């Protein structure tokens, strides 16, 4: 896809041919297998896929917080503001983290340090990157608290005194405190209940628009994608199998996997006896299938799919599919 | 060499009212010896208190002798001869069973605080002991003590034994009545005595430092008992550490190291080992009550013949010792009543055949019995028991070794169901009279009428009384007692040993077999390096 | 908070009573009796009985126990030693002074050496630093105090001559005993710190801190360590209690007149008041140490602090 995409000079972040593996006691897990995408300023990209598809790994690689002994970046580039993040020194990366790129994590219950007050945890990121006094950092922290809907007088309280949703808001406040260019949100509402989910997602979207922050939203929930994202990338077995603008993807899904995903959503209107999951299981990342990684589960798989290389096909302008038969799929 | 009986000895003392010429001094002050010597001694335990009127305790006596004094001294005289200290002399007369002593008190005595000591204080001290009653065992024959005037005391002893008067007058500390009553603890931790030293510092459990009293009243007695200015006695529990302290020079003298620990200092420059015979004979005692198989005389004799005493001396004591010929160590100079003829005798010499014969005679031709051998839990005794166990197995006796810590040992000793034989030490107990030590084992004048062998033997008591009695006690009586004991096999003495005293060069230690080292009577060379502050 | 402390102190009373009862019973039913030891080897059975009567050993068990407790509660009087004649109370306090000094200094070693060792091991997991630290810890825990103490004495006192072999005095007398005693403490602190740190380092909030751009050093020392210390505090409390008891061996080897050797001497001579007093005292000290540890928790961990204040109400 990298050759075919026009190199967008306005792209804020450009990931090319990223490959990441985890090695533990001899076994090699291929987590990310040649991922490339771009994101523009102020836009949000949704990374959709099942658990274990490699989404979180991509996000952590961008931020450089992969646990280094097991994880290793084999190849690729991550160009941000003209620099390849993978080549930066640790010191340079530290300046990026929290300030230019920040991350919201999946589980709010454990994302905060239980021994430090929430206000101080927000102030910490401010003090790290802004040249200001502690008092000023604290004030900024209080502002952020208000911004996420928490009264500023709760500054001194500790994480255990907040509910899950509130904790997540604190995490968001930390992520946005220094007004980053890019926000990586890793399933920010998965651990929350549905009503809170809506609140939090609304808030994220609102803040994103207000501060003009780009966002990569990782999720397995197509509904969230529909609400909040501009472009969508569907990930399977460490590869992007389909990439398109949101409307295009929802109106015109091409890849058999994407079709399967949409097909498995329960319908509110129809009267159905059984759900329609995608048959089979996601592949073992230690032992990926040859050829197209989806072929064991694909109803349209042919001999060519089982061996040989699969390449991207542009089904429509800006809509890329990693499948040899996508034009044929449409017919099917 | 003392060959005459104590009777003659006391007569000698009686006739010499002059102390100085009695040759009591065994150590001469060396020319050029420094005046401010400090000597550090390693000892193993802290007596814990310095109560003057409690039961006798060898650890306490050792240290108490530096600041407490008694009427007469058995220490400064060398070889246990009784020499005057607080008293100057005495006269004796009898009245039926009672012996009445009139004792004259030295008029110059005062304690370290300056209080004068007179006959009233003496009477007070003795009456305190009678009141506390903790010494009825060893001083039961004392009836009364009263002051006749300021410097004369009358003492009444009932049924006097040869050892009574020396023991009573040498082991009772005389202190000033007012000073004693003024002390809250009863001198347990703040003793004030008349002795040549006072306590400078005492860290209970750790060390005690004594300093010479320059106002000591007895300087002119000529005993030369203030040769060092300061003594520090350190309580070091771990014998390996004692060795280290000697080597690093933090300790000058060590008591009772085992011969193995002492060996490393042999022939080492800067150190010397003094080996003195230990005054107690190691023996086996038998339980002869009906509860024990050892009431069978032939069995006892079989056991004695089966034990190879020489082998025990070689293996357990590395040959540092010998097989005794009697119930006394073969060092006649230690005793007033040593019987010369004992040197030519043997006690149940090792004879396995004879032992087996006696086993048959006892009714156990093939052995097959189990006997319990009790001992205190000390390594030398544990080893001894193991050796004996092996030896007795040869005549078919299975020995069960019961090794107890001191507290348990003391409580089981009087329980005739608890053991069949036990390891003990026969000793004259700081008195130069063998008969005194025997009395403790053999005397049947107890509540139960039994002695420590759990028997009531009229003849034994008769012989014992004869040997003890002031009038009749002499060599012959003692010999008769021993021969009968040997015959009846009450005790089997199997070893006498040596104690090793290790010290640094430059000191000539004065060692009294009863009290061990007296650093204040030892001599120090002119270049002695440790000085008192 | 104050209420909690008061409650805990009050709770110690039944515990100490129980300890007193237990030790009293053990002493009463253990063979061996103080009177024969005081009177020595030459004592007759009559003399022994008389002394037993005098010491009050013939009264019934409950009467003696009650009198003993009464003495403690009303006059704070732990009795007088059978052997020494001194007051148990003052004797224990003096002896305890030595033991406490050793235990405290050993604790300083244990924390000062053990915790950093554990942190190094955790942060450099599976590298040579980790293996070496844990080897040192293993060595420390396996070595018997007695042997190690004597070895230290031989090396530093005998061969090098820079420390005194035994006894008490200035600080130089305490270095070897404390080293000997603290070995096991260093080891247990190191292992506990390491495992606690390893758990904490994998926590999500550590990743959050990294994502903020925080330096590794601050992450370790501020974020990770604070959280890792909580189980370490418990361990420290227990270790201190063990050290208090473990000084006995060191006291024997280095001839320090501490509470441990006092207890042993008392047991050998069946000095009942001394034994009872010492045991109750040590139990009380341990109780106080545990209380201090629990209070430390509330200082360090706000979640536990919340349990003691008006309750941590969660606000939605």
């Amino acid at each position: 896809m990298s050759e075919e995409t026009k190199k967008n000079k306005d792209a804020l972040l450009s990931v090319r041919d990223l490959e990441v593996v985890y090695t533990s006691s001899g076994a090699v897990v291929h987590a990310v297998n040649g991922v490339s995408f771009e994101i523009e300023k102020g836009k949000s990209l949704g990374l959709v896929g099942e658990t274990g598809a490699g989404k979180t790994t991509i996000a952590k690689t961008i931020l450089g917080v992969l646990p280094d002994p097991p994880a290793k970046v084999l190849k690729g580039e991550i160009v941000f503001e003209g620099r390849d993040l993978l080549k930066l020194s640790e010191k340079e990366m530290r300046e990026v983290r929290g300030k230019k790129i920040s991350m919201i994590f999946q589980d709010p219950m454990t994302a905060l340090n239980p021994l430090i007050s929430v206000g101080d945890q927000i102030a910490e990121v401010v003090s790290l990157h802004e040249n200001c006094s502690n008092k000023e950092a604290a004030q900024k922290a209080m502002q952020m608290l208000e911004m996420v809907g928490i009264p500023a007088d709760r500054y001194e309280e500790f994480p255990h005194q907040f509910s899950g949703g509130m904790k997540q808001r604190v995490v968001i406040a930390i992520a946005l405190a220094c007004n980053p260019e890019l926000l990586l949100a890793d399933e920010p509402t998965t651990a929350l209940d549905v009503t809170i989910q809506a609140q939090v997602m609304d808030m994220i979207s609102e803040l994103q628009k207000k501060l003009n922050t780009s966002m990569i939203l990782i999720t397995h929930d197509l509904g969230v994608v529909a609400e909040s994202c501009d472009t969508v990338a569907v990930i399977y077995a460490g590869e992007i199998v389909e990439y398109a603008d949101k409307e295009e993807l929802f109106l015109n899904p091409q890849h058999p996997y994407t079709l399967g995903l949409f097909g498995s959503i329960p319908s509110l209107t129809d009267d159905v006896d059984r759900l329609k999951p995608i048959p089979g299981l996601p592949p073992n990342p230690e032992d990926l299938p040859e050829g197209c990684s989806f072929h064991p589960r694909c109803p349209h798989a042919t001999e060519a799919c089982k061996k040989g290389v699969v390449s991207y096909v542009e089904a429509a302008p800006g809509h890329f599919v990693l499948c040899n038969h996508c034009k044929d799929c449409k017919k099917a | 060499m003392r060959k005459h009986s104590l009777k003659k000895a006391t007569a000698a003392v009686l006739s010499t009212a002059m102390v100085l010429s009695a040759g009591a001094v065994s150590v001469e002050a060396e020319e050029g010896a420094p005046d401010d010597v400090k000597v550090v001694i390693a000892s193993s335990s802290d007596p814990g208190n310095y109560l003057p009127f409690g039961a006798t305790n060898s650890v306490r006596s050792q240290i108490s002798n530096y600041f407490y004094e008694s009427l007469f001294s058995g220490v400064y005289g060398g070889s246990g001869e009784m020499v005057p200290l607080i008293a100057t002399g005495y006269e004796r007369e009898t009245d039926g069973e009672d012996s009445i002593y009139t004792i004259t008190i030295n008029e110059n005595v005062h304690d370290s605080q300056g209080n004068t000591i007179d006959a009233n204080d003496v009477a007070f001290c003795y009456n305190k002991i009678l009141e506390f009653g903790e010494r009825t065992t060893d001083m039961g024959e004392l009836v009364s003590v009263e002051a006749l005037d300021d410097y004369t005391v009358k003492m009444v002893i009932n049924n006097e034994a040869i050892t009574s008067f020396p023991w009573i007058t040498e082991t009772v500390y005389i202190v000033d009545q007012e000073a004693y009553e003024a002390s809250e603890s009863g001198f347990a931790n703040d003793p004030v005595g008349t002795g040549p030293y006072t306590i400078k510092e005492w860290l209970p459990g750790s060390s005690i430092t004594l300093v010479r009293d320059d106002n000591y009243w007895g300087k002119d007695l000529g005993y030369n008992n203030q040769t060092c200015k300061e003594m520090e006695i350190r309580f070091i529990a771990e014998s390996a550490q004692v060795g280290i302290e000697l080597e690093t020079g933090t300790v000058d003298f060590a008591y009772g190291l085992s011969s193995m620990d002492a060996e490393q200092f042999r022939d080492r420059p800067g150190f010397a080992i003094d080996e003195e015979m230990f005054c107690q004979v190691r023996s086996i005692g038998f339980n002869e009550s009906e509860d024990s198989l050892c009431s069978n005389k032939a069995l006892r004799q079989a056991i004695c013949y089966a034990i190879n005493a020489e082998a025990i001396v070689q293996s357990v004591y590395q040959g540092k010792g010998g097989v005794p010929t009697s119930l006394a160590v073969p060092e006649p100079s230690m005793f007033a009543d040593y019987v010369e003829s004992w040197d030519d005798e043997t006690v149940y010499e090792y004879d396995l055949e004879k032992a087996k014969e006696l086993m048959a005679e006892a009714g156990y031709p093939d052995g097959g019995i189990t006997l319990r051998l009790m001992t205190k839990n000390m390594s030398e005794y544990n080893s001894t028991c193991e050796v004996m166990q092996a030896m007795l197995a040869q005549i078919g006796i299975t020995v069960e070794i019961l090794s107890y810590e001191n507290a348990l040992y003391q409580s089981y000793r009087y329980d005739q169901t608890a053991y069949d034989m036990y390891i003990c030490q026969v000793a004259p107990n700081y008195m130069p009279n063998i008969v005194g030590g025997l009395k403790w084992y053999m005397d049947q004048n107890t509540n139960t009428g039994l002695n420590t062998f759990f028997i009531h033997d009229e003849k034994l008591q008769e012989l014992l009384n004869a040997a003890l009695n002031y009038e009749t006690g002499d060599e012959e009586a003692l010999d008769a007692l021993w021969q009968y004991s040997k015959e009846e096999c009450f005790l089997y003495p199997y070893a006498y040993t040596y104690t090793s005293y290790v010290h640094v060069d430059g000191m000539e230690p004065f060692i009294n077999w009863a009290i061990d080292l007296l650093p204040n009577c030892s001599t120090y060379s002119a270049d002695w390096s440790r000085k008192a502050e | 908070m104050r209420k909690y402390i008061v409650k805990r102190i009050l709770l110690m009373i039944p515990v100490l009573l129980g300890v007193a009862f237990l030790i009293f019973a053990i002493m009463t039913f253990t063979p061996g009796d103080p009177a024969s030891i005081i009177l020595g080897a030459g004592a007759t059975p009559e003399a022994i009985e008389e002394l037993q009567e005098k010491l009050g050993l013939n009264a019934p068990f409950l009467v003696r126990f009650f009198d003993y407790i009464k003495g403690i509660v009303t006059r704070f009087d732990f009795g007088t030693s059978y052997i020494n004649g001194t007051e148990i109370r003052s004797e224990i306090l003096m002896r305890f002074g030595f033991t406490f000094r050793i235990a405290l200094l050993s604790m300083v070693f244990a924390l000062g050496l053990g915790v950093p060792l554990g942190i190094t091991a955790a942060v450099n997991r599976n590298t040579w630093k980790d293996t070496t630290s844990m080897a040192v810890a293993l060595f420390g825990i396996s070595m018997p105090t007695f042997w190690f103490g004597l070895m230290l004495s031989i090396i530093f006192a005998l061969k090098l001559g820079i420390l005194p072999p035994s006894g008490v005095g200035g600080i130089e007398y305490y270095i070897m005993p404390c080293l000997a005693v603290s070995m096991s403490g260093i080891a247990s602190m190191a292992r506990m710190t390491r495992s606690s740190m390893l758990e904490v380092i994998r926590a999500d909030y550590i990743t959050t801190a990294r994502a903020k751009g925080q330096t590794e050093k601050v992450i370790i020392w501020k974020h990770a360590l604070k959280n890792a210390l909580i189980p370490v505090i418990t361990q420290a409390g227990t270790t201190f209690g063990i050290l208090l008891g473990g000084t006995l061996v060191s006291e024997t080897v280095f001839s320090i007149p501490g509470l441990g050797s006092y207890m042993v001497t008392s047991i050998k001579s069946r000095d009942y008041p001394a034994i009872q007093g010492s045991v109750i005292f040590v139990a009380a000290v341990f109780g106080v140490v545990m209380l201090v540890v629990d209070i430390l928790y509330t200082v360090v961990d706000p979640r536990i602090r919340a349990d003691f204040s008006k309750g941590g109400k969660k606000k939605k």
Side-chain angles (χ1 to χ4, degrees), chain B residues 475-495:
Chain B
E475 249 181 63
E476 277 169 47
L478 183 56
D479 191 35
L481 178 61
W482 164 237
Q483 296 303 335
Y484 181 68
S485 306
K486 191 157 71 162
E487 225 318 292
E488 291 298 306
C489 203
F490 297 132
L491 292 158
Y492 175 60
Y494 63 85

Side-chain angles (χ1 to χ4, degrees), chain B residues 48-49 55 134 137 188-189 203-206 234-238 241 244-245 247-248 405 407-408 411 413-414 440 447, chain C residues 31-32 37-39 41-44 46 48 83-84 86 146 153-154 157-158 165-168 252-255 257 268 270:
Chain B
N49 73 61
E134 282 181 27
T137 321
N189 44 38
L203 204 51
S206 180
R234 298 187 45 205
F235 309 113
I236 301 177
E238 179 53 47
Q241 283 283 44
I244 294 177
E245 300 252 5
E247 283 193 68
T248 55
E405 46 137 358
L408 283 183
S411 49
R413 217 169 25 84
Y414 295 114
W440 187 79
N447 259 6
Chain C
I37 297 184
I38 295 174
L39 294 178
T44 57
E46 303 87 68
I48 293 179
I83 307 300
N84 261 359
T86 49
F146 180 80
S153 189
I154 291 177
L158 191 54
S166 69
V168 292
T252 309
V253 173
F254 294 102
S255 300
K268 281 202 189 138
R270 302 291 194 274

Side-chain angles (χ1 to χ4, degrees), chain C:
Chain C
M1 192 66 218
R2 203 161 299 164
K3 246 175 65 179
Y4 174 70
I5 298 180
V6 169
K7 191 172 85 163
R8 280 290 294 268
I9 294 181
L10 286 178
L11 266 178
M12 275 194 347
I13 294 176
V15 169
L16 290 178
L17 261 176
V19 168
F21 185 80
L22 208 61
I23 191 68
F24 214 87
I26 292 177
M27 283 295 109
T28 308
F29 299 117
T30 304
D33 113 88
S36 32
I37 297 184
I38 295 174
L39 294 178
T44 57
E46 303 87 68
I48 293 179
E49 257 195 58
E50 231 184 276
L51 187 54
Q52 283 176 338
E53 189 64 45
K54 190 166 146 198
L55 292 174
L57 294 174
N58 290 332
F61 173 77
L62 283 173
V63 170
R64 287 172 47 218
F65 182 65
F66 183 69
D67 280 337
Y68 180 66
I69 298 294
K70 195 165 87 169
I72 298 179
V73 168
T74 53
R75 302 184 307 270
F76 210 63
D77 174 15
F78 282 83
T80 35
S81 160
Y82 291 160
I83 307 300
N84 261 359
T86 49
E87 272 196 5
I88 301 292
R89 178 177 58 206
S90 44
E91 187 77 30
I92 288 182
L93 281 176
M94 188 195 67
R95 299 286 197 140
F96 182 66
F98 291 107
T99 302
F100 188 71
R101 257 172 257 173
I102 297 180
L104 199 66
L105 196 55
S106 304
M107 208 53 218
V108 168
F109 281 147
L111 290 173
L113 293 176
V115 170
L117 213 60
I119 295 177
T120 315
V123 168
N124 298 295
R125 187 171 181 214
N126 292 333
T127 62
W128 67 268
K129 285 187 195 163
D130 183 11
T131 338
T132 320
S133 307
M134 286 299 107
V136 169
L138 183 64
F139 185 62
I141 247 179
S142 324
M143 264 192 315
T145 314
F146 180 80
W147 175 84
F148 189 55
L150 272 178
M151 283 296 118
L152 284 175
S153 189
I154 291 177
I155 296 174
F156 290 101
L158 191 54
K159 302 287 181 207
L160 297 177
I162 49 181
L163 289 174
S166 69
V168 292
I171 187 104
E172 68 270 17
Y173 286 89
Y174 289 100
I175 296 181
M176 288 193 296
C178 293
L179 263 179
V181 171
S182 63
M183 276 322 281
S184 65
I186 293 177
S188 65
M189 287 280 94
R191 288 163 66 96
M192 191 71 220
T193 308
R194 176 183 185 270
S195 63
S196 187
M197 276 294 275
L198 282 180
E199 258 188 63
V200 161
I201 277 186
R202 278 196 286 256
D204 284 343
Y205 55 82
I206 296 296
T207 321
T208 308
R210 273 206 200 102
K212 289 183 195 171
Q214 186 60 276
T215 56
E216 269 311 289
K217 201 155 150 229
V218 174
I219 290 178
I220 301 291
W221 289 98
K222 183 168 158 206
H223 289 271
L225 191 58
K226 258 172 100 168
N227 280 278
L229 274 183
I230 296 171
V232 171
I233 291 179
T234 322
Q235 182 79 335
T238 327
T239 305
F240 188 70
I242 294 175
L243 285 184
L244 272 181
T247 58
L248 161 66
V249 174
S250 219
E251 285 170 25
T252 309
V253 173
F254 294 102
S255 300
I256 296 180
L259 198 54
S261 59
Y262 183 62
M263 281 206 273
V264 169
T265 323
S266 309
I267 291 173
K268 281 202 189 138
S269 42
R270 302 291 194 274
D271 190 353
Y272 294 158
I275 302 170
Q276 283 148 206
S278 312
V279 169
I280 294 175
F281 185 79
V282 172
V285 170
F286 203 83
V288 168
V289 168
M290 288 285 105
L291 178 60
V292 167
V293 164
D294 283 346
I295 293 178
L296 264 179
Y297 279 150
T298 65
V299 167
V300 169
D301 190 341
R303 293 169 287 191
I304 299 183
R305 203 184 307 156
D307 285 343
F308 297 110
S309 47
K310 303 302 188 301
K313 291 196 306 251
K314 282 201 182 171
K315 299 183 196 165
K316 277 282 168 191

Side-chain angles (χ1 to χ4, degrees), chain B residues 337-356:
Chain B
D337 53 355
Y338 192 82
V339 176
E340 285 274 299
S341 56
W342 289 346
D343 286 340
D344 307 315
E345 294 179 9
T346 56
V347 187
Y348 293 106
E349 227 177 319
Y350 178 57
D351 188 339
L352 203 50
E353 285 311 311
K354 191 126 183 238
K356 289 186 182 155

